[in-house]
Amino acid sequence: MKYKLIYLLVLCTIGCGGESNGEVPVDPEPEPVDNSISNITYVASFDVISNPERGFMHHWAVESEGMPVSTAMLNSLKNEKVTIINRIYYLDAFKDADLSQAELDLITTDFERMRTAGIKCILRFAYNSDQNETDAPLSRVISHLDQLKPILTDNYDVIAFVQAGFIGSWGEWYYTTNNLTTLENKTAVLNKLLEVLPKEIKVQVRTPLYKQEIFNYSTAMDATVGYGDSDIARVGFHNDCFLASPDDYGTYQNIPIEKQYISKEALFVPTGGETCPPSGVPTASCTTADTEMALLKWTYLNLDYYGPVLQEWRNNDCFEDFQRELGYRLLLKTASLKKEIKANGNFDLDLVMDNVGFAPVYNKKNASLILKSTDDGTIHSKSLDFDIRKVVPGAEYDLTETVNLSGIPAGSYTLYLKIEDASPSLKDRPEYSIQLANSGTWEASTGMNELLHTLIIN
């Protein structure tokens, strides 16, 4: 009986379908192949990449009129894949005086050495490193910022972000002996920072409520505000007790609401900081840390504190994952590119990109399509409108742009995408360009990403 049933099923498969006239169904015609287009699939890399303004950082503080940061120490950071330091200047000696020329020279020398080494800093100023010590009055803070303005303006190119600082011990906006934690005084310090810093620089405050109180709002900004340069679009967050207690040592008041607020704001402004000794919670596991950093879009984390938390991640094989994922990690997925165009014609750039890091790029960059002659290596650069900040985690990005190639002579060209620092002083420095996380595409000597495509201009 079983075999008769199978036989009937086979007969029905052959003759019981909708084809009443007995015709055999015909497969649809395949899509025609456009031989004028090269379709490329890129291979992701799993290497730890040194990219600017993101990743693990070192925390290097210096006392008043102390020694400049060591050139040898800065150069050694390359071996650790570290591109940023948290440089904190303690101004203990100047609570009742102007900053000395020696102090100003120290800061200037640091910036010069960082630039030479290809490093940027996350900057903070404070008046003491002990909760039992005093800070400075508001008038002194304001006058010090006026003194610092020329140096900050001249060296903005090597400042990744600025932590608001100045108020209280460690500049953490808590222990103050000069009543600086009132809303009025916090607002005055932040406004002065935003005034003296170039518009390109973003400032971070210690808790989400500080920003909400100062700007009198609670709904996270959207792209129409976030990609601008208004004051509110320049203020992010630093958390100096990350993963250390249920509320991160008072960082949060309404934990879920404020974390969601930061998560949305951090599409446009940076979050980062350091861990602390855990209190009331276990040492953060790999899973807990990964979940939190992804939610809050962490872009940097102190490599020097708190050691046992970092060791937990090393012991459980996720430390290197965080080296990859802190901040942005951009990669090419696919491309559809014309093989040939006529001289002085338009070229359609059609790329699909992804960001598999925790955070976007926060500082503006210049992007260019580079054509490199396969005959003599001559370089031609065409600026793109592409805004790298909009390649955000969790969503593919279609980079489609028509590029006019007028002025480029006929010939064969290898194509590259270059994403360089926006400052004139660093734009030609490869170590300040963004390397995409793909295999076989990075040209370290020039800071360009090869698109694995050759274009013929006739």
Side-chain angles (χ1 to χ4, degrees):
M1 185 70 181
K2 177 175 67 175
Y3 300 107
K4 288 182 179 179
L5 179 60
I6 292 172
Y7 178 70
L8 289 172
L9 285 171
V10 171
L11 288 177
C12 189
T13 300
I14 296 172
C16 299
E19 302 292 337
S20 59
N21 59 6
E23 293 180 1
V24 178
V26 178
D27 290 335
E29 287 291 327
E31 290 291 328
V33 176
D34 186 349
N35 291 319
S36 69
I37 297 286
S38 178
N39 293 306
I40 306 162
T41 299
Y42 298 97
V43 177
S45 166
F46 293 96
D47 293 342
V48 174
I49 294 172
S50 298
N51 264 326
E53 301 160 4
R54 57 150 300 276
F56 281 108
M57 67 176 189
H58 279 293
H59 173 104
W60 291 346
V62 59
E63 299 301 324
S64 300
E65 299 183 345
M67 295 297 294
V69 64
S70 160
T71 299
M73 289 175 66
L74 287 170
N75 289 334
S76 72
L77 296 179
K78 294 181 177 66
N79 298 326
E80 299 181 73
K81 307 288 187 180
V82 169
T83 65
I84 47 175
I85 62 170
N86 189 193
R87 190 57 164 164
I88 300 184
Y89 296 94
Y90 284 113
L91 307 177
D92 305 58
F94 309 107
K95 296 172 187 176
D96 300 307
D98 288 343
L99 300 177
S100 66
Q101 190 59 49
E103 182 69 19
L104 298 174
D105 290 345
L106 160 66
I107 298 167
T108 300
T109 300
D110 277 351
F111 285 140
E112 291 170 351
R113 291 183 179 181
M114 283 186 270
R115 186 179 296 105
T116 299
I119 298 297
K120 291 198 178 190
C121 71
I122 296 157
L123 187 63
R124 190 197 297 185
F125 297 92
Y127 290 101
N128 70 72
S129 56
D130 184 329
Q131 70 187 59
N132 298 312
E133 294 294 327
T134 60
D135 53 11
L138 179 62
S139 59
R140 183 60 60 190
V141 174
I142 300 301
S143 66
H144 284 167
L145 279 165
D146 283 329
Q147 281 188 275
L148 290 166
K149 181 176 180 177
I151 297 175
L152 300 176
T153 300
D154 290 344
N155 296 282
Y156 81 93
D157 56 339
V158 289
I159 301 172
F161 315 112
V162 174
Q163 296 174 342
F166 288 102
I167 296 175
S169 302
W170 304 283
E172 288 191 359
W173 285 39
Y174 191 73
Y175 302 101
T176 177
T177 58
N178 282 278
N179 203 33
L180 295 181
T181 53
T182 66
L183 178 57
E184 180 182 4
N185 287 339
K186 287 185 295 188
T187 301
V189 171
L190 181 60
N191 285 344
K192 187 64 177 181
L193 266 168
L194 293 167
E195 173 197 322
V196 304
L197 287 166
K199 288 284 190 182
E200 293 87 347
I201 301 299
K202 297 185 187 296
V203 177
Q204 296 174 288
V205 293
R206 179 62 183 82
T207 77
L209 279 183
Y210 290 161
K211 180 176 181 180
Q212 292 181 347
E213 290 169 349
I214 289 169
F215 290 101
N216 192 27
Y217 83 118
S218 58
T219 301
M221 59 189 169
D222 61 15
T224 59
V225 175
Y227 290 125
D229 61 5
S230 64
D231 285 351
I232 201 170
R234 295 172 59 201
V235 178
F237 316 95
H238 70 98
N239 180 348
D240 289 353
C241 273
F242 183 53
L243 304 170
S245 75
D247 63 358
D248 287 355
Y249 282 47
T251 298
Y252 305 107
Q253 303 300 311
N254 190 325
I255 298 170
I257 288 177
E258 289 168 28
K259 284 186 177 181
Q260 284 299 323
Y261 160 79
I262 287 181
S263 183
K264 294 174 182 177
E265 289 259 312
L267 288 169
F268 316 106
V269 292
T271 57
E274 64 187 20
T275 59
C276 265
S279 175
V281 295
T283 300
S285 67
C286 290
T287 300
T288 297
D290 184 85
T291 300
E292 284 288 287
M293 286 194 272
L295 172 66
L296 302 173
K297 300 178 177 61
W298 268 62
T299 202
Y300 66 85
L301 186 66
N302 186 4
L303 195 55
D304 301 317
Y305 192 79
Y306 175 63
V309 174
L310 301 175
Q311 193 58 47
E312 173 81 7
W313 301 341
R314 291 186 180 96
N315 293 343
N316 289 280
D317 298 325
C318 62
F319 181 85
E320 192 170 290
D321 292 335
F322 297 155
Q323 278 187 299
R324 296 186 189 93
E325 294 173 296
L326 276 165
Y328 58 88
R329 186 175 176 88
L330 311 177
L331 55 86
L332 295 166
K333 297 194 75 175
T334 60
S336 296
L337 305 172
K338 280 276 190 183
K339 297 177 181 178
E340 298 185 26
I341 66 166
K342 292 182 179 179
N344 298 314
N346 291 329
F347 177 73
D348 293 325
L349 187 63
D350 188 355
L351 306 172
V352 177
M353 301 183 70
D354 202 359
N355 183 347
V356 294
F358 292 135
V361 176
Y362 292 110
N363 293 328
K364 292 179 181 179
K365 307 293 178 183
N366 293 332
S368 302
L369 177 67
I370 305 294
L371 294 85
K372 184 178 181 180
S373 170
T374 59
D375 295 326
D376 59 13
T378 300
I379 296 286
H380 301 273
S381 178
K382 292 291 182 177
S383 296
L384 300 175
D385 294 328
F386 171 46
D387 188 345
I388 194 71
R389 298 175 300 167
K390 296 180 179 180
V391 187
V392 299
E396 289 186 351
Y397 182 91
D398 294 324
L399 171 49
T400 55
E401 195 166 331
T402 299
V403 186
N404 184 273
L405 300 187
S406 61
I408 300 179
S412 171
Y413 296 91
T414 304
L415 300 190
Y416 298 82
L417 179 64
K418 187 176 185 184
I419 307 161
E420 64 189 17
D421 199 278
S423 66
S425 59
L426 302 183
K427 68 183 185 66
D428 295 324
R429 296 278 300 277
E431 60 268 62
Y432 289 109
S433 293
I434 291 178
Q435 176 182 351
L436 301 180
N438 292 102
S439 296
T441 57
W442 179 241
E443 190 173 278
S445 61
T446 61
M448 304 190 305
N449 300 277
E450 187 178 341
L451 298 180
L452 307 182
H453 179 71
T454 300
L455 175 66
I456 305 297
I457 299 179
N458 295 313

